[in-house]
Amino acid sequence: FDDLEIGITYSEPIYSEIDEKKVFEGVVCADYTFRDITKFLLQNYINTTTTVAIYEAKEPHFIIGTSTGSKAARKVLKENKALPCPYPDVSVSDNTCDVIRVSASDLLQTMPDDGYVPMDTIIARAFKQQRDAGFPEDELVTIKEDESAVQSAIYVSQTELFDLPDAKLTWRIVIL
């Protein structure tokens, strides 16, 4: 978590049967980092007009990955979480900085060290429009790139629910 690599671990117990009794043998685990999901999205949507963001279905809708390459976590000052950690090499364990998750709404607020990604603003605005419309899976939701301009690019978005109940995993995927 120190290096902003957050993810999911899936684990499954292994049992053998001895004298008709289940005997615990160990656990098999697979780790997936959210960064791997972002890399996948980047590789598959680079040089296309499609942008994809995956975020948790539950409030506050934390980011899992985006095709813009934006990180799912930020290192911030422990005393003021609105400010980025000015010490890039400092460990979170030294109590100067914290790592916090980024929500879909947070993409509207870039931090100086994040680097500005214009499509992140569009993703955040599409998320808000989708949320306000109740995340309709069978409807397209549109937003203008610049609400104040008479002529502006228009983005069309749609969300899909991705649900793995056995893994207690429920994400929303927004496609622009």
Side-chain angles (χ1 to χ4, degrees), residues 75-77 80-87 97 111-113:
K75 199 180 277 190
V76 295
L77 282 174
N80 185 348
K81 295 190 184 335
L83 296 175
C85 179
Y87 318 108
C97 299
M111 291 194 154
D113 295 342

Side-chain angles (χ1 to χ4, degrees), residues 23-142:
V23 176
F24 179 73
E25 296 288 339
V27 177
V28 171
C29 296
D31 291 328
Y32 298 94
T33 66
F34 292 172
R35 191 75 193 141
D36 291 337
I37 294 170
T38 293
K39 284 179 187 175
F40 171 82
L41 293 173
L42 274 166
Q43 290 170 352
N44 286 280
Y45 291 98
I46 195 165
N47 298 325
T48 71
T49 57
T50 302
T51 301
V52 178
I54 303 171
Y55 51 89
E56 292 180 356
K58 286 185 184 176
E59 288 280 350
H61 304 289
F62 288 125
I63 290 291
I64 303 301
T66 70
S67 62
T68 64
S70 294
K71 295 178 180 172
R74 294 179 174 154
K75 199 180 277 190
V76 295
L77 282 174
K78 189 168 251 174
E79 294 175 5
N80 185 348
K81 295 190 184 335
L83 296 175
C85 179
Y87 318 108
D89 297 328
V90 74
S91 169
V92 173
S93 61
D94 83 348
N95 283 333
T96 306
C97 299
D98 267 339
V99 174
I100 60 168
R101 302 267 318 266
V102 175
S103 72
S105 299
D106 292 338
L107 291 176
L108 281 172
Q109 304 144 2
T110 58
M111 291 194 154
D113 295 342
D114 285 347
Y116 177 66
V117 180
M119 280 308 294
D120 282 351
T121 303
I122 301 298
I123 290 171
R125 290 179 52 226
F127 159 77
K128 183 184 179 314
Q129 290 290 102
Q130 288 284 341
R131 184 189 61 206
D132 292 352
F135 298 111
E137 291 188 19
D138 56 347
E139 295 177 28
L140 299 175
V141 175
T142 60

Side-chain angles (χ1 to χ4, degrees), residues 49-51 119 122 126 130 139-144 153-159 174-176:
T49 57
T50 302
T51 301
M119 280 308 294
I122 301 298
Q130 288 284 341
E139 295 177 28
L140 299 175
V141 175
T142 60
I143 59 166
K144 287 177 68 176
I154 294 180
Y155 292 90
V156 177
S157 67
Q158 185 172 19
T159 57
V174 64
I175 303 164
L176 288 139

